Amino acid sequence: MILRRSGKTVLVEQHHHVLLPWCALARETGLRFHAITLDHHTDVLAAFTRSVKKGDFDASSEESVCRNLELLHHDEHIDWALKSGVLMSSRILSHEAFTHPSDPRITVSCDPVWPSSQEILNGSAAARSAAEQVLERGFLMRQVPEIPDPLILDIDLDYFLCGAALHPSDPSFFLELADRARLITVSLESDWVRLLRFRGETISAESLWESLQILLS
């Protein structure tokens, strides 16, 4: 489930598999964390919503986490992390905000520059302009009024709809988030990157991962 590790950065394919490094860090440090997630989607559903068999919220071992991962689907892992005591809070910076969070400790932020979901899907000029700003200092600071501690920075690569998004003119606040984070988790979500990228873009999850590594280096 974990594809690669590089320093404090861990790469997974499916977003909910970030629970493995999140829980490992919580066990290692004895701390509960605040997560800041960059994601196209909101990921705010209650754990086990779409599973006939219900799991538990035992994060005490890798085995117990893996057992629960088999019952969790995408969009349910943040609720699980909060209920298991791994997270204290979650702030999700998303391109859409129409799903009600399952837990009051989840905050969803959708910047005012984003147009309607249909414009995003159509790749309108306004959507492209917004997509190019997603790592800019001003864009992030409007949505993260204060950097919490201890922090996990969580990045789903479908947050990036165009290649220009990973070449911000002022990435200083993003780099500060990365520097202060105890852990950075990155989800490839290859299919969603391919489905959501703007028409005419040639980006892939792997190319975005390479660009992100360069930005973080």
Side-chain angles (χ1 to χ4, degrees), residues 1-210:
M1 295 181 185
I2 293 176
L3 300 178
R4 292 165 228 171
R5 296 179 186 268
S6 177
K8 65 180 177 181
T9 302
V10 176
L11 180 71
V12 301
E13 172 58 54
Q14 295 182 296
H15 199 172
H16 58 299
H17 291 166
V18 298
L19 287 179
L20 286 168
W22 287 10
C23 294
L25 181 66
R27 289 193 300 270
E28 177 187 334
T29 61
L31 299 174
R32 297 168 66 209
F33 290 84
H34 303 278
I36 293 178
T37 293
L38 311 182
D39 193 354
H40 184 90
H41 307 97
T42 49
D43 285 9
V44 294
L45 296 182
F48 313 117
T49 296
R50 289 163 289 182
S51 178
V52 174
K53 181 181 178 183
K54 305 304 178 187
D56 54 40
F57 298 96
D58 180 4
S60 63
S61 69
E62 183 172 336
E63 181 183 14
S64 65
V65 177
C66 286
R67 185 181 68 245
N68 280 286
L69 274 174
E70 292 179 359
L71 304 173
L72 290 169
H73 296 77
H74 61 83
D75 299 356
E76 299 175 357
H77 60 283
I78 292 176
D79 180 79
W80 191 92
L82 287 163
K83 288 183 169 58
S84 68
V86 170
L87 295 184
M88 282 188 285
S89 73
S90 166
R91 177 174 289 272
I92 304 168
L93 279 56
S94 173
H95 305 335
E96 53 188 42
F98 49 76
T99 305
H100 185 71
S102 58
D103 190 294
R105 293 169 290 180
I106 299 174
T107 301
V108 176
S109 176
C110 183
D111 194 87
V113 303
W114 278 102
S116 68
S117 295
Q118 191 59 51
E119 283 195 69
I120 298 171
L121 290 173
N122 292 338
S124 70
R128 287 180 176 272
S129 175
E132 292 175 1
Q133 298 178 48
V134 294
L135 292 186
E136 295 289 353
R137 180 179 181 84
F139 184 94
L140 293 174
M141 288 188 70
R142 286 196 295 271
Q143 298 173 83
V144 183
E146 183 178 351
I147 299 177
D149 183 62
L151 172 66
I152 292 173
L153 178 60
D154 177 45
I155 304 167
D156 186 330
L157 291 180
D158 69 15
Y159 180 72
F160 306 109
L161 306 181
C162 59
L166 275 159
H167 300 279
S169 58
D170 184 0
S172 57
F173 189 74
F174 173 71
L175 295 177
E176 184 179 356
L177 287 173
D179 182 63
R180 291 176 59 177
R182 308 287 185 95
L183 174 70
I184 302 171
T185 50
V186 180
S187 308
L188 284 172
E189 289 290 358
S190 304
D191 289 342
W192 279 114
V193 169
R194 177 177 52 81
L195 289 168
L196 292 170
R197 66 189 179 187
F198 289 140
R199 203 172 290 115
E201 288 284 336
T202 59
I203 55 172
S204 66
E206 285 290 344
S207 72
L208 291 172
W209 165 238
E210 290 172 7

